[in-house]
């Protein structure tokens, strides 16, 4: 994973003066302005961040982050001078985003990290309940603004496109095609058990039945809760319509499902 990140950085982003997200993007910006060595700059920026991590974060995360950061800086030196020749402007953010996103996805699937803004995001989440994605987003906004100010709007737009493709690729590598949907079905007592039984028998999915009361009618209702594969959604809709056409049903996209169940991620001790 760190090798792919280094290839995207040295072979595509740097030759075409684009920036990546996080500490890597800051190191690249300093390289463009002052011609500083990217791997050494990345290492130096991470030193104070690791000092904060040792104070506030768990040792397991610190060890994995240290390994990831050292491997990333090593591969940056190894791939220094590599260039992938690209003529089409659209190919630059697309290829850079796919390669860097795949690298990040491999790292995240292995519960790894390359430190940098991940440390800041972890600390902000721990003490201020700020979402990690929000922290990374703020850092990336700063990088984009710097790109506009010191380079050009065109390069800033390409940087944004690279970040977007990278994020989508990372999500794909981490989650794959195993997309899940969480379904809530609000129905009456007379239909609840039949709908639940049909989902269990016909789709082989578990169902949780939750007693409830209608806010407007004050009548007793039952909420059926289940998590299914995206291909099973049409079957669940048909089951609900066959049993209770007046039922209320919501479907939510689910990033991960952890625990006991067919095709679900197994629970692991931290």
């Amino acid at each position: 994973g760190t090798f792919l990140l280094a290839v995207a950085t040295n072979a595509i982003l740097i030759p075409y003066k684009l920036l990546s997200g996080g500490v890597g993007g800051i190191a690249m910006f300093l390289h463009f302005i002052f011609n500083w060595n990217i791997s050494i700059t990345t290492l130096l920026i991470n030193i104070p961040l690791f000092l904060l991590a040792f104070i506030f974060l768990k040792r397991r995360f610190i060890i994995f982050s240290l390994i990831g950061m050292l491997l990333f800086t090593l591969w940056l030196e190894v791939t220094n001078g590599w260039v992938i020749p690209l003529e089409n402007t659209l190919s630059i953010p697309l290829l850079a985003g796919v390669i860097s996103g795949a690298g990040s996805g491999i790292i995240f699937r292995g519960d790894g990290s390359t430190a940098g803004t991940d440390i800041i995001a972890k600390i902000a989440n721990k003490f201020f309940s700020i979402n990690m994605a929000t922290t990374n987003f703020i850092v990336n906004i700063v990088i984009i603004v710097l790109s506009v100010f010191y380079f050009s709007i065109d390069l800033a737009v390409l940087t944004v496109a690279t970040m977007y493709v990278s994020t989508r690729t990372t999500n794909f590598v981490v989650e794959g095609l195993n997309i899940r949907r969480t379904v809530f079905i609000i129905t009456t007592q007379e239909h609840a058990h039949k709908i639940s039984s049909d989902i269990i028998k016909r789709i082989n999915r578990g169902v949780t039945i939750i007693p409830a009361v209608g806010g407007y009618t004050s009548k007793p209702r039952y909420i059926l809760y289940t998590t299914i594969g995206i291909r099973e959604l049409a079957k669940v809709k048909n089951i609900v319509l066959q049993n209770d056409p007046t039922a209320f049903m919501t479907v939510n996209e689910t990033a991960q499902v952890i625990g006991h169940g067919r095709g679900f991620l197994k629970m692991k001790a931290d």
Side-chain angles (χ1 to χ4, degrees):
T2 53
F3 172 73
L4 292 177
L5 286 176
V7 169
T9 300
N10 278 328
I12 304 177
L13 296 176
I14 291 176
Y16 298 100
K17 287 197 172 183
L18 299 183
L19 301 176
S20 64
V23 166
I26 297 172
M28 292 166 64
F29 173 76
L30 295 174
H31 167 76
F32 292 138
I33 300 299
F34 304 109
N35 199 30
W36 291 358
N37 182 284
I38 292 180
S39 57
I40 295 176
T41 304
T42 301
L43 191 63
L44 291 175
I45 294 174
N46 273 295
I47 290 175
L49 296 178
F50 271 105
L51 293 176
L52 291 174
F54 272 107
I55 298 173
F56 298 113
L57 301 179
K58 293 181 179 179
R59 295 293 179 265
R60 183 175 182 270
F61 173 79
I62 295 170
I63 292 171
F64 283 173
S65 297
L66 182 60
I67 293 172
M69 186 267 294
L70 292 175
L71 285 173
F72 179 52
T73 54
L74 172 65
W75 288 122
L76 281 174
E77 283 297 311
V78 172
T79 60
N80 187 26
W82 290 20
V83 177
I84 297 177
L86 298 171
E87 296 181 0
N88 192 316
T89 304
L90 292 177
S91 300
I92 299 170
L94 181 62
L95 187 59
V98 168
I99 294 175
S100 62
S104 296
I106 292 170
I107 293 169
F108 293 152
R109 279 190 73 105
D111 291 329
S113 168
T114 56
T117 51
D118 287 346
I119 292 176
I120 301 173
K122 279 273 189 181
I123 294 173
N125 179 258
K126 181 177 181 180
F127 292 100
F128 305 105
S129 299
I130 300 175
N131 187 284
M132 291 183 64
T134 302
T135 304
N136 287 318
F137 176 75
I138 293 171
V139 174
N140 289 341
I141 287 294
V142 173
I143 292 172
I144 293 168
V145 171
L146 290 174
S147 181
V148 172
F149 186 76
Y150 283 96
F151 304 121
S152 68
I153 294 179
D154 290 337
L155 290 178
V157 169
L158 290 176
T159 294
V160 172
T162 303
M163 291 179 178
Y164 176 79
V165 174
S166 178
T167 300
R168 299 299 296 181
T169 304
T170 298
N171 292 340
F172 178 79
V173 172
V174 173
E175 299 170 11
L177 294 173
N178 196 22
I179 302 172
R180 302 291 176 180
R181 293 290 185 269
T182 296
V183 180
F184 290 92
I185 305 161
I186 302 177
T187 184
T188 60
Q189 184 176 2
E190 60 182 299
H191 297 113
H193 292 282
K194 183 61 170 67
I195 294 173
S196 173
S197 177
D198 283 354
I199 292 174
I200 293 171
K201 292 178 181 178
R202 292 163 57 179
I203 304 179
N204 193 27
R205 291 293 184 187
V207 179
T208 299
I209 301 178
I210 307 169
V213 177
Y216 180 74
T217 63
S218 296
K219 294 181 179 179
R221 291 287 184 268
Y222 278 83
I223 301 173
L224 308 186
Y225 169 83
T226 184
T227 301
I228 60 176
I230 191 170
R231 295 179 181 177
E232 297 164 334
L233 181 58
K235 296 179 182 178
V236 171
K237 289 181 179 178
N238 287 333
I239 290 173
V240 174
L241 287 173
Q242 289 169 8
N243 288 281
D244 183 10
T246 63
F248 181 79
M249 179 176 172
T250 63
V251 181
N252 301 316
E253 185 174 337
T254 304
Q256 286 188 342
V257 183
I258 303 172
H260 179 71
R262 177 165 50 89
F264 297 164
L265 298 175
K266 302 302 180 184
M267 186 71 74
K268 296 180 181 179
D270 191 5

